[in-house]
């Protein structure tokens, strides 16, 4: 959840570290810090509560601290409130070690007590300080030896960057269950929690695996396994442009990423459609496996879970196999019924969400096969899956996901068609109908995005409502869940999404004159049923914002206060169109409310703590 960057080379490290942190700030943004070693100056540490700008102003953009090796960190607090002293880097009592950390040290209390008994004085409330102090405790002149002893002593999930004042020609990087990449340059090297921080300087990266330790110098990188035996890493070339991780004239990354969805859909889907067929070269399934498959278990968190909810409706219909969707954070602890004939579909934009990763490992331990849908190439979930399909959405920076959600949905359509074809559960006519509509979908997405001014107007009518409900049935319900999450995470308005038929079993008591209900009625087989629910809330005084397809727009407009229309398409693909107005609505509501849209309070882009 935090951002880590490290640099070693010939240039001044400060500005490079701050530049890297500015690209990682979406991972955590309650405080930030730098540790830079300068000849004659020793280890200099500057930390500041608040956004990165505070640190940048304090250090004149990093230029005020001299030295060509250092670490930077932007924090999302877990242990200890956001404050200067709890910010990273955390430093050992003797000032020799500085440590930046992403993750949680689970046994830090016990280690802290142990060190306190030895006379060590702690200054912060963080679990990370334990690591800095433990390094000092074990250090006898051998840096890697001390690191190794610390790793054997701590439990939990972590990515560390470590600098030692005795060895200023080295940076140490370590990871377990938290991402860390190495950027390989000419005469310099970098470490970071995300490629976005290094891409300006080098496109050659390698991915540290769990338990590995890397030592970076100006001229090279040596990686060791958990037993400190040297190991070789494969270099990967990152081929996306730096502009993909910049705002490109938009006020917010979220706005840019919403508008990028037609293109992201094209990039994800079109190369996988050849001569009217879905071609998934990345997958290795056959008919025998799919026939024997007892269940498809979808595992994910947040918006990725909502993709799973939509996929369930489509996949069960297409495959005639049971599909169970479960929150990754629940999966591990619910004694799941998984056999070797169970396929788990793991959905994650980042590929690093710890709940999803842990659930996936549990599913594999129980014998299930794992197919993952991931956006970040080389991420842990992608690497540990039996099969992976990448969403080619490009880097997603805004904390609230939009284009990753859309491309995940797109991949579930492709997987559904591919499996149904192998199983023989889809007619050629139906198959062709869906593929034709897939090809038309980007243009239809563009048409929906053209309605953004109208949606902004609607947002201006309702932006100060204290509570907003979303109702829908079937696929519309699944999309309502996402619309509601989008709204609450960036605008801080209380919101709930309900299966429309369920409303009268309790929640309708919350509807009173003026309550806003967003009613999704694009799934036409259930249009009339949904409209009955709309009448129920209208008769209790609700304002209703309706969302439906063009062909039912006039019908809906007779009953609701405002209608948003999306183009008709194959019912299976409706979520892709429906979600856009809801993303735009959330965005404009948050804009009216003056919220920090790309960095909503309390959130971080990649949730690497349980
Ligand atoms: O990277 P992942 O897809 O695994 O992330 C899962 C959720 O944390 C994520 O979708 C979260 O709900 C977003 N903030 C929603 O906008």
């Amino acid at each position: 959840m935090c951002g880590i960057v490290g640099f070693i080379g010939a240039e001044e490290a400060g500005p490079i570290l701050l530049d890297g942190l500015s690209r990682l700030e979406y991972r955590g943004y309650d405080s930030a810090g730098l540790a830079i070693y300068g000849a004659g100056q020793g280890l200099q540490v500057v930390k500041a509560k608040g956004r990165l700008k505070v640190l940048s102003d304090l250090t004149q953009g990093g230029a005020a601290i001299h030295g060509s090796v250092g670490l930077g960190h932007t924090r999302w607090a877990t242990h200890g409130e956001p404050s200067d002293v709890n910010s990273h880097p955390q430093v050992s009592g003797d000032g020799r070690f500085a440590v930046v950390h992403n993750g949680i040290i689970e046994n830090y209390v016990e280690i802290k007590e142990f060190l306190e008994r030895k006379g060590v004085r702690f200054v912060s409330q963080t679990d990370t300080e334990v690591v800095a102090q433990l390094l000092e405790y074990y250090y006898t002149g051998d840096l890697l030896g001390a690191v190794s002893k610390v790793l054997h002593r701590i439990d939990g999930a972590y990515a560390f960057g470590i600098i030692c004042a005795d060895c200023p020609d080295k940076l140490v990087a370590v990871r377990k269950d938290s991402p860390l990449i190495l950027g390989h340059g000419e005469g310099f090297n970098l470490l970071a929690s995300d490629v976005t921080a290094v891409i300006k300087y080098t496109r050659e990266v390698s991915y540290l695996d769990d338990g590995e330790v890397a030592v970076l110098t100006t001229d090279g990188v040596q990686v060791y396994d958990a037993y400190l035996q040297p190991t070789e890493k494969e270099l990967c070339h990152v081929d996306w442009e730096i502009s993909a991780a910049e705002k490109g004239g938009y006020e917010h990354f979220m706005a840019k990423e919403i508008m990028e969805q037609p293109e992201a859909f094209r990039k994800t889907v079109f190369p996988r459609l050849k001569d009217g067929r879905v071609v998934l070269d990345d997958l290795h399934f056959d008919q025998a496996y799919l026939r024997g498959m007892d269940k498809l278990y979808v595992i994910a968190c947040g918006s990725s879970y909502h993709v799973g909810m939509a996929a369930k409706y489509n996949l069960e219909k297409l495959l005639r196999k049971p599909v169970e969707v479960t929150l990754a954070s629940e999966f591990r602890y619910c004694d799941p019924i998984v056999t070797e004939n169970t396929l788990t579909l793991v959905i994650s934009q980042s590929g690093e969400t710890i709940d999803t990763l842990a659930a996936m490992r549990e599913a594999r331990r129980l014998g299930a096969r794992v197919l993952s849908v991931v956006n970040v190439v080389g991420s842990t979930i992608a690497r540990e899956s039996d099969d992976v399909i990448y969403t080619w959405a490009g880097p997603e920076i805004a904390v609230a996901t939009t284009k990753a959600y859309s491309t995940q949905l797109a991949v579930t359509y492709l997987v559904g068609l591919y499996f149904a074809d192998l199983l023989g559960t889809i007619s050629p006519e139906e198959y062709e109908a869906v593929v034709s509509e897939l090809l038309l979908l980007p243009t239809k997405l563009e048409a929906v995005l053209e309605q953004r001014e109208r949606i902004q107007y609607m947002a201006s009518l309702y932006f100060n409502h204290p509570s907003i409900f979303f109702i829908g049935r079937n696929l519309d319900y699944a999309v309502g869940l996402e619309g509601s999450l989008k709204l609450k995470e960036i605008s801080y308005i209380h919101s709930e999404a309900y299966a429309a038929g369920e409303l009268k079993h309790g929640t309708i008591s919350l509807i009173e004159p003026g309550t806003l209900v967003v009613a999704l009625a694009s799934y036409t087989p259930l249009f009339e049923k949904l409209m009955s629910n709309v009448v129920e809330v209208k008769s209790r005084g609700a304002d209703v914002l309706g969302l439906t397809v063009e062909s039912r727009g006039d019908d809906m407009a007779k009953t609701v206060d405002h209608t948003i229309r999306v183009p008709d398409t194959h019912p299976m693909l409706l979520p892709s169109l429906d979600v856009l107005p809801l993303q735009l609505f959330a965005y404009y509501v948050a804009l009216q409310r003056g919220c920090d849209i790309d960095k909503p309070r309390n959130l971080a882009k990649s949730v690497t703590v349980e």
Side-chain angles (χ1 to χ4, degrees):
M1 324 260 298
C2 309
I4 290 176
V5 62
F7 172 84
I8 184 161
E11 287 176 60
E12 287 285 281
I16 294 173
L17 294 174
L18 275 174
D19 175 67
L21 289 181
S22 72
R23 297 173 197 285
L24 296 177
E25 208 185 1
Y26 70 98
R27 298 180 68 95
Y29 31 82
D30 57 44
S31 51
L34 294 172
I36 294 176
Y37 185 90
Q41 336 231 4
L43 200 52
Q44 310 148 88
V45 178
V46 185
K47 310 195 286 187
K49 180 182 167 187
R51 292 293 163 88
L52 189 60
K53 184 160 185 334
V54 182
L55 180 70
S56 181
D57 289 348
L58 254 177
T59 60
Q60 295 161 25
I65 323 175
H66 297 289
S68 55
V69 52
L71 296 167
H73 189 264
T74 174
R75 179 169 186 247
W76 185 89
T78 56
H79 294 64
E81 58 172 13
S83 68
D84 291 357
V85 76
N86 287 336
S87 311
H88 301 198
Q90 288 293 317
V91 180
S92 58
D94 62 1
R96 187 178 271 135
F97 291 96
V99 177
V100 290
H101 171 210
N102 186 6
I104 289 180
I105 308 301
E106 286 166 2
N107 58 341
Y108 83 103
V109 174
E110 176 252 307
I111 300 174
K112 189 171 180 177
E113 286 168 0
F114 164 78
L115 289 171
E116 278 172 338
R117 284 196 297 276
K118 304 274 173 201
V120 176
R121 233 190 96 250
F122 283 80
V123 294
S124 78
Q125 288 112 43
T126 65
D127 51 340
T128 308
E129 189 184 354
V130 158
V131 175
Q133 303 284 18
L134 207 53
L135 280 165
E136 176 188 330
Y137 178 77
Y138 285 131
Y139 183 69
T140 53
D142 171 12
L143 174 59
L144 271 193
V147 169
S148 173
K149 282 184 182 145
V150 169
L151 298 183
H152 281 97
R153 187 74 168 78
I154 58 174
D155 297 328
Y158 45 79
F160 294 126
I162 300 168
I163 186 168
C164 173
D166 283 3
C167 318
D169 56 342
K170 290 185 177 73
L171 274 183
V172 178
V174 182
R175 80 154 263 177
K176 179 177 162 276
D177 294 339
S178 192
L180 203 58
I181 64 109
L182 307 173
H184 303 255
E186 293 287 324
F188 68 90
N189 288 294
L190 294 139
L191 62 93
S193 41
D194 191 322
V195 285
T196 47
V198 307
I199 187 82
K200 186 170 165 189
Y201 307 99
T202 178
R203 287 166 180 282
E204 306 310 314
V205 303
S206 58
Y207 299 91
L208 271 191
D209 283 312
D210 275 356
E212 287 181 338
V213 177
V215 177
L216 290 76
T217 60
T218 299
D219 301 320
V221 175
Q222 178 61 61
V223 179
Y224 301 89
D225 66 15
Y227 306 100
L228 293 188
Q229 295 304 306
T231 177
E232 290 298 315
K233 297 301 290 182
E234 192 190 335
L235 280 195
C236 304
H237 183 77
V238 179
D239 57 9
W240 48 263
E241 295 300 321
I242 184 81
S243 59
E246 290 174 344
K247 282 192 201 149
Y250 286 91
E251 196 177 342
H252 297 100
F253 278 110
M254 184 176 177
K256 175 179 175 247
E257 288 161 5
I258 288 174
M259 297 306 289
E260 282 175 347
Q261 289 177 103
E263 195 50 27
F265 187 95
R266 273 191 198 97
K267 281 189 178 149
T268 299
V269 172
F270 284 15
R272 288 156 168 157
L273 293 178
K274 289 180 190 136
D275 302 326
R277 312 292 306 165
V278 175
V279 180
L280 298 176
D281 292 330
D282 324 335
L283 302 195
H284 312 96
F285 289 89
D286 57 29
Q287 194 184 58
Y289 174 81
L290 291 173
R291 289 230 164 114
M293 179 174 83
D294 55 11
K295 178 164 69 174
L296 205 157
Y297 226 136
V298 185
I299 300 174
C301 301
S303 296
S304 299
Y305 169 78
H306 297 155
V307 170
M309 290 291 286
K312 175 184 165 72
Y313 289 106
N314 282 333
L315 293 174
E316 283 193 335
K317 195 175 251 176
L318 280 170
L319 311 181
R320 305 314 301 154
K321 294 270 187 185
V323 178
E324 190 167 341
V325 193
T326 187
L327 292 165
S329 52
E330 290 294 312
F331 179 87
R332 274 169 96 188
Y333 307 112
C334 72
D335 201 0
I337 301 174
V338 171
T339 72
E340 68 225 20
N341 295 323
T342 306
L343 176 63
T344 49
L345 181 66
V346 172
I347 306 175
S348 175
Q349 184 283 131
S350 61
E352 300 291 351
T353 302
I354 196 76
D355 287 325
T356 311
L357 178 61
M360 175 183 120
R361 286 177 176 163
E362 176 64 3
R364 292 196 81 193
R365 194 186 66 79
L366 294 169
R369 179 168 174 174
V370 172
L371 163 61
S372 66
V373 179
V374 174
N375 194 43
V376 178
V377 175
S379 56
T380 312
I381 289 175
R383 284 183 293 148
E384 291 190 17
S385 302
D386 297 297
D387 295 89
V388 54
I389 309 191
Y390 283 109
T391 47
W392 291 320
E396 190 179 63
I397 308 295
V399 165
T401 181
T402 52
K403 62 176 180 170
Y405 170 91
S406 286
T407 50
Q408 288 167 346
L409 270 179
V411 165
T412 67
Y413 305 149
L414 296 176
V415 169
L417 286 174
Y418 172 80
F419 281 0
D421 188 38
L422 275 172
L423 280 167
T425 49
I426 187 168
S427 69
E429 297 74 30
E430 179 83 351
Y431 186 97
E432 195 191 321
V434 182
V435 170
S436 318
E437 276 301 316
L438 277 174
L439 290 166
L440 296 175
L441 214 60
T443 314
K444 294 186 178 183
L445 296 175
E446 278 156 6
V448 178
L449 292 174
E450 270 161 29
Q451 298 182 51
R452 59 190 178 279
E453 276 181 26
R454 202 170 121 65
I455 294 165
Q456 184 167 20
Y457 165 69
M458 291 175 194
S460 74
L461 301 178
Y462 296 107
F463 75 93
N464 56 5
H465 270 45
S467 188
I468 297 179
F469 293 83
F470 290 73
I471 58 170
R473 288 170 178 262
N474 197 279
L475 286 166
D476 285 329
Y477 165 51
V479 180
L481 289 168
E482 177 59 9
S484 173
L485 177 63
K486 221 67 317 167
L487 182 75
K488 65 189 141 198
E489 72 181 324
I490 61 167
S491 75
Y492 317 141
I493 292 179
H494 168 256
S495 171
E496 292 185 41
Y498 261 80
E502 188 63 14
L503 205 63
K504 58 189 169 297
H505 296 287
T507 309
I508 201 163
S509 64
L510 295 172
I511 306 293
E512 52 186 18
T515 304
L516 178 63
V517 175
V518 179
L520 287 89
S522 63
Y523 186 67
T524 51
L526 295 175
F527 180 82
E528 275 75 23
K529 295 247 180 269
L530 191 281
M531 288 311 291
S532 305
N533 303 126
V534 168
V535 172
E536 285 162 12
V537 295
K538 276 301 298 169
S539 56
R540 281 150 184 95
D543 274 14
V544 177
L545 205 166
L547 171 61
T548 189
V549 284
E550 291 283 1
S551 58
R552 303 312 298 264
D554 290 348
D555 294 340
M556 193 167 204
K558 287 178 198 150
T559 312
V560 303
D561 297 275
H562 308 277
T563 313
I564 301 168
R565 299 161 202 240
V566 300
D568 287 79
T569 184
H570 189 285
M572 184 177 137
L573 311 181
L574 281 166
S576 293
L577 293 167
D578 288 345
V579 78
L580 302 188
L582 305 188
Q583 294 168 345
L584 287 166
F585 183 72
Y587 175 77
Y588 287 122
V589 165
L591 195 65
Q592 292 263 359
R593 291 166 70 87
C595 297
D596 193 347
I597 293 178
D598 284 338
K599 300 186 186 86
R601 71 183 178 207
N602 304 339
L603 295 178
K605 182 69 180 164
S606 172
V607 184
T608 52
V609 292
E610 199 177 332

